[in-house]
């Protein structure tokens, strides 16, 4: 099984003995190990190997990679650990048991020899009490440590033997705890509830354990998995026929009738809700219903805000237009209203007029947005303090939001929610649930942007309901009209190609389309513009101020390729952060909500420091925060020199470079391009194939999201 280290980069299968541990993350599963193969050649192995120790013998499946600083390494994907054998390995293993230590391990091996592990397994309490220094006060902790270690090892072996990759095995073992092995054998589909563990992994394990193709538990798990995947696509439910079709595509069309029957079974148990042809996960169904109830409550309540002086400004720094003033007075006339409009139409000015009016009447206002950077922009635009929605609702890790119907948001005669197009059903429900009995709510957003990352399309559905008062701003103000970015955005929104400025025109030349007719030329031009030319011309920091956007992750003009090349250009000598694929100086993006550290999905920052003693990474975010993350919490960070347009929603950058290629055809829509261009504050450069631009302009995002909010709000 041994493979020479002289082989070319490729998949590898090795039998190794661990010689030492170079690095083990104290809060995670990652480790870097020194090992040797059967021929005595030295091997450096990395991966989810935190459970391995010196002396362990392992079979490793993985792939070679060339680390820029540490040389050739084997990145382990799957690991099978043999039981320790030999005095050295047994002593090393037993030394890890609490209160045993090296001396106790020597004692046990000397007394019981090679059979020591089996002897202890038969009577852990009695055998561990034999160890000098372990008395009645310490024995419970020692036995608990033994039980955990043996259970963990058995679980890893069980999963590895059934083909589960090491990283997934680590997450499963950590999540299920000491009962992992029992739970896996009795209910292998339980692991589909864990982040990052899909149905395919659970199903392969279950089938290996003898679960029949028509077993009820298999079909139940399949139905719930399909609904979970649909939620990631933005749906709150699926038509029954669509759910069955998707499930059949995963396991074979023969399963369709059985899957259809499983839906009735799950509904009878309260896991699903069947509403005509609709099938919804019970929790999501209830959440959408509660959101509609909150909306109707606000719409049906009498206004609670009475101002003595409501005078429209006729002079001064800003004089609102008729539509802007209509949006302001709508907030006073009802408990819930919406203000929409594209770039340059004065949404921010209207909000500032409202804030000033409330201040003049000594009324309180709270302002919030889904992301920290959006909240900072909102504060700058209105002159009032703004915060993220999660901070407003006072999120507590492990407990959730502390602001709710019983403890509503305090100090808010009016609540202004900016970037409301980003609100998914769950966040919108939590926010409106915490609106007090006298608070008026204004939702502000651009309905032409992409739908939110989470399930639902709240702002668009509320507008479509016809019940919520909506003020749509359409007039582009003179100053904004000088911006080619603003002009380009509105042209794109109407399906028209953005154009440059005629010679001598009094405009801000802040938008450019650079034609390139091949993917390779597009790629090279984007890198050149982002890494060198824009920073030099505008005096920008390429790592902080320039954001590359692309529609897709994979491919020759994809996000992954851009990140690899841009890192090589902008941070070639960054110090590697042990236990992660990151370097000091890297631009990174958070890919999931981390409520504990207040780092939300889509937030971007710079890796500025690694505290080796405390094993923490310091991140400087785009909204000027300093966030200290344990290494274990960095697993959801990815390189962020280039990010998806979806991830960029709610944020902006001084300079934005957008890549467009025919290879992105499946993703190209008018809404996508519009969202990308409107992320730029100072300058936007779109680079790509004219045919890709035409394709995007010709298609509005028509992918319907399955939601009920329109009809729930419209019903009386």
């Amino acid at each position: 099984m041994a493979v020479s280290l002289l082989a070319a980069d490729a998949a590898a299968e090795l039998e190794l003995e661990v010689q030492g541990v170079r690095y083990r993350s104290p809060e995670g599963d990652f480790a870097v190990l020194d090992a040797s193969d059967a021929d005595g050649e030295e091997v450096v192995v990395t991966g989810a190997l935190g459970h391995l120790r010196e002396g362990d013998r392992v079979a490793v499946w993985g792939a070679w990679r060339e680390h820029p600083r540490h040389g050739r390494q084997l990145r382990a994907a799957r690991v099978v650990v043999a039981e320790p054998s030999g005095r050295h390995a047994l002593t090393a293993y037993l030394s890890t048991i609490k209160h045993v230590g090296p001396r106790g391990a020597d004692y046990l091996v000397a007394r019981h020899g090679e059979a020591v592990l089996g002897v202890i397994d038969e009577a852990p309490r009695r055998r561990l009490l034999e160890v000098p220094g372990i008395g009645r006060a310490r024995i419970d902790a020692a036995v608990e440590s033994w039980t955990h270690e043996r259970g963990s090892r058995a679980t890893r072996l069980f999963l590895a033997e059934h083909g589960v990759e090491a990283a997934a095995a680590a997450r499963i073992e950590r999540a299920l705890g000491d009962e992992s092995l029992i739970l896996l054998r009795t209910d292998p589909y339980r692991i589909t509830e864990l982040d990052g563990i899909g149905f395919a992994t659970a199903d392969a394990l279950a089938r290996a354990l003898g679960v029949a193709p028509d077993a009820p538990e298999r079909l139940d798990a399949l139905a719930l998995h399909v609904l979970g995947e649909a939620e990631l696509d933005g749906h709150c439910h699926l038509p029954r026929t669509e759910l069955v079709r998707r499930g059949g595509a995963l396991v074979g069309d023969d399963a369709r009738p059985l899957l259809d029957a499983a839906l009735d079974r799950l509904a009878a148990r309260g896991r699903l809700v069947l509403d005509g042809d609709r099938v919804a996960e019970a929790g999501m169904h209830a959440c959408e219903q509660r959101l509609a109830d909150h909306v109707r409550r606000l719409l049906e309540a009498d206004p609670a805000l009475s101002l003595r002086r409501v005078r429209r400004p006729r002079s001064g720094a800003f004089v609102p237009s008729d539509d802007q003033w209509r949006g302001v007075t709508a907030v006073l006339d009802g408990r819930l209203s919406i203000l929409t409009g594209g770039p340059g139409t004065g949404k921010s000015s209207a909000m500032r007029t409202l804030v000033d009016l409330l201040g003049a009447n000594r009324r309180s206002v709270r302002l919030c947005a889904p992301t920290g950077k959006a909240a900072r922009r909102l504060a700058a635009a209105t002159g009032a303090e703004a915060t993220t929605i999660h901070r407003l609702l006072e999120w507590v890790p492990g407990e959730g939001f502390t602001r709710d119907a019983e403890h509503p948001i305090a100090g808010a005669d009016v609540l202004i929610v900016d970037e409301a197009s980003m609100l998914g059903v769950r966040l919108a429900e939590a926010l409106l649930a915490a609106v007090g009995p006298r608070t008026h709510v204004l939702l502000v957003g651009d309905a032409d942007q992409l739908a939110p990352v989470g399930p639902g399309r709240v702002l668009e559905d509320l507008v479509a309901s016809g019940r919520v008062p909506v003020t749509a701003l359409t007039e582009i103000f003179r100053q904004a009209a000088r911006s080619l970015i603003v002009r380009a955005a509105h042209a794109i929104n109407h399906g028209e190609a953005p154009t440059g400025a005629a010679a001598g025109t009094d405009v801000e030349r802040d938008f450019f389309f650079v034609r390139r007719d091949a993917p390779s030329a597009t790629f090279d031009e984007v890198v050149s513009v982002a890494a060198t030319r824009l920073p030099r011309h505008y005096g920008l920091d390429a790592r902080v101020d320039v954001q590359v956007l692309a529609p897709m992750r994979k491919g020759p003009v994809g996000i992954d390729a851009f990140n690899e090349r841009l890192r090589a250009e902008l941070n070639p000598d960054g110090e590697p952060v042990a236990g992660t694929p990151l370097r000091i100086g890297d631009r990174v993006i958070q890919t999931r909500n981390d409520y504990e550290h207040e780092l939300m999905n889509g937030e971007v920052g710079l890796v500025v420091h690694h505290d080796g003693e405390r094993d923490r990474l310091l991140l400087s975010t785009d909204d000027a925060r300093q966030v200290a993350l344990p290494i274990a919490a960095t697993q959801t960070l990815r390189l962020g020199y280039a990010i998806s347009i979806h991830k960029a929603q709610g944020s902006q950058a001084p300079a934005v470079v957008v890549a467009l290629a025919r290879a992105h055809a499946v993703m190209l829509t008018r809404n996508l391009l519009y969202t990308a261009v409107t992320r730029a504050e100072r300058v936007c450069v779109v680079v790509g194939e004219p045919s890709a631009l035409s394709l995007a302009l010709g298609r509005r995002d028509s992918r319907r999201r399955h939601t009920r909010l329109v009809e729930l709000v419209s019903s009386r």
Side-chain angles (χ1 to χ4, degrees), residues 203-487:
D203 194 44
L205 177 59
R207 298 299 302 281
L209 291 172
V211 175
D214 60 351
E217 60 267 30
R218 182 180 191 236
L219 297 160
D220 291 353
L222 176 60
L224 293 170
H225 169 75
V226 170
L227 276 177
E229 290 296 299
E231 189 174 312
L232 294 177
D233 290 337
H235 302 297
C236 297
H237 66 265
L238 282 179
R240 186 168 185 144
T241 52
E242 174 69 7
L243 192 157
V244 171
R245 184 194 66 77
R246 291 191 183 197
L250 287 175
V251 301
D253 288 340
D254 292 346
R256 287 191 181 192
L258 298 171
L259 179 58
D260 191 65
L263 302 181
D264 295 314
R265 182 169 58 246
L266 287 166
R269 287 163 43 196
R271 298 291 303 277
L272 301 182
V273 174
L274 305 181
D275 178 14
D277 185 49
R278 299 166 173 161
V279 184
E281 189 274 325
M284 172 53 67
H285 185 273
C287 183
E288 196 173 21
Q289 182 69 59
R290 290 194 303 271
L291 173 58
D293 291 343
H294 300 325
V295 171
R296 288 199 304 269
R297 167 175 59 86
L298 290 169
L299 292 174
E300 294 165 5
D302 292 331
L305 190 60
S306 177
L307 305 185
R308 292 184 178 181
R309 296 177 296 167
V310 182
R311 296 177 182 173
R312 176 177 175 178
R314 299 291 181 180
S315 61
F318 176 72
V319 177
S321 67
D322 291 346
D323 285 341
Q324 287 174 316
W325 185 246
R326 191 177 301 113
V328 170
T329 57
V331 178
L332 310 180
D333 294 339
R335 294 280 307 283
L336 177 64
S337 58
I338 293 174
L339 179 68
T340 70
T345 58
K347 296 190 300 294
S348 296
S349 297
M351 285 189 283
R352 177 146 201 159
T353 299
L354 175 60
V355 169
D356 291 344
L357 177 64
L358 294 168
N361 283 269
R362 298 184 179 180
R363 295 306 180 100
S364 59
V365 59
R366 301 291 298 272
L367 297 95
C368 64
T371 68
K373 196 164 187 180
R376 189 173 65 174
R377 287 201 320 271
L378 178 60
T382 61
E385 182 181 352
T387 184
T388 63
I389 295 173
H390 282 81
R391 286 186 179 179
L392 178 72
L393 298 180
E394 298 177 15
W395 172 269
V396 176
E399 297 181 21
F401 296 120
T402 59
R403 292 292 178 181
D404 53 23
E406 295 183 1
H407 304 90
I409 299 164
D413 289 315
V414 173
L415 173 65
I416 299 175
V417 185
D418 198 14
E419 296 286 358
S421 62
M422 295 181 65
L423 289 176
V425 167
R426 287 196 173 88
L427 186 56
E429 190 279 324
L431 179 62
L432 294 189
V435 171
R438 300 188 61 80
T439 299
H440 288 222
V441 178
L442 173 64
L443 303 178
V444 183
D446 185 347
D448 291 318
Q449 288 192 29
L450 290 170
V453 175
R457 195 161 187 165
V458 174
L459 184 67
E460 186 178 62
D461 282 352
L462 291 180
V463 171
S465 74
R467 288 206 62 195
V468 184
V470 177
T471 303
L473 303 179
T474 57
E475 178 187 354
I476 304 175
F477 281 78
R478 182 178 303 173
Q479 182 63 30
R482 294 184 63 245
S483 167
L484 289 182
I485 292 176
V486 171
R487 292 187 182 188

Side-chain angles (χ1 to χ4, degrees), residues 411-713:
D413 289 315
V414 173
L415 173 65
I416 299 175
V417 185
D418 198 14
E419 296 286 358
S421 62
M422 295 181 65
L423 289 176
V425 167
R426 287 196 173 88
L427 186 56
E429 190 279 324
L431 179 62
L432 294 189
V435 171
R438 300 188 61 80
T439 299
H440 288 222
V441 178
L442 173 64
L443 303 178
V444 183
D446 185 347
D448 291 318
Q449 288 192 29
L450 290 170
V453 175
R457 195 161 187 165
V458 174
L459 184 67
E460 186 178 62
D461 282 352
L462 291 180
V463 171
S465 74
R467 288 206 62 195
V468 184
V470 177
T471 303
L473 303 179
T474 57
E475 178 187 354
I476 304 175
F477 281 78
R478 182 178 303 173
Q479 182 63 30
R482 294 184 63 245
S483 167
L484 289 182
I485 292 176
V486 171
R487 292 187 182 188
H490 286 275
I492 290 165
N493 203 26
H494 289 92
E496 302 167 359
T499 58
T505 306
D506 181 25
V507 297
E508 296 178 31
R509 288 175 170 78
D510 53 9
F511 175 85
F512 305 89
F513 177 73
V514 180
R515 173 176 177 156
R516 291 293 180 268
D517 294 321
S520 59
T522 297
F523 182 86
D524 290 341
E525 183 70 10
V526 167
V527 172
S528 173
V529 169
T532 306
R533 285 149 58 191
L534 277 182
R536 184 173 58 211
H537 184 78
Y538 288 90
L540 301 173
D541 182 335
R543 290 184 301 170
V544 175
D545 300 323
V546 181
Q547 182 64 68
V548 172
L549 301 179
M552 298 177 67
R553 178 161 294 283
K554 302 299 181 182
V557 198
I559 294 163
D560 290 343
F562 279 125
N563 272 320
E564 183 177 352
R565 175 76 171 274
L566 287 167
R567 175 200 251 182
E569 295 279 342
L570 300 174
N571 192 30
D573 302 317
E575 179 74 17
V577 178
T580 80
L582 305 176
R583 305 176 188 171
I584 302 299
D586 271 341
R587 183 172 175 84
V588 294
I589 182 171
Q590 174 72 352
T591 58
R592 292 191 181 182
N593 287 337
D594 181 346
Y595 300 113
E596 181 177 355
H597 301 98
E598 296 189 18
L599 198 61
M600 299 297 109
N601 188 358
E603 289 198 75
V604 177
L606 200 69
V607 178
V608 295
H609 179 64
H610 176 223
D611 183 343
E613 291 186 6
R614 301 176 64 193
D615 208 27
R616 291 180 178 271
L617 180 148
L618 185 64
L619 192 67
S620 177
T621 68
D622 270 9
D623 62 342
R625 290 183 296 133
Q626 299 287 310
V627 180
L629 292 174
I631 290 299
T634 66
Q635 296 176 0
T636 53
L637 292 177
R638 300 288 182 270
L639 290 180
Y641 301 97
I643 64 175
S644 73
I645 298 168
H646 282 83
K647 291 287 188 187
Q649 290 182 85
S651 67
Q652 287 186 301
V656 167
V657 184
V658 186
L660 283 184
R662 291 284 303 185
H664 303 145
V666 68
M667 295 290 293
L668 294 178
T669 66
R670 200 180 301 174
N671 310 70
L672 187 85
L673 183 56
Y674 174 84
T675 301
V677 170
T678 54
R679 300 309 90 201
E681 294 174 335
R682 289 181 57 186
V683 59
C684 177
V685 180
V686 177
V687 181
E689 303 166 51
S691 59
L693 176 62
S694 298
L695 185 59
L697 294 173
R699 290 195 308 197
R700 182 171 285 279
D701 186 1
S702 59
R703 291 182 299 170
R704 182 189 169 206
R705 290 194 170 195
H706 295 294
T707 70
R708 297 183 302 139
L709 191 59
V710 171
E711 66 183 69
L712 289 173
V713 171

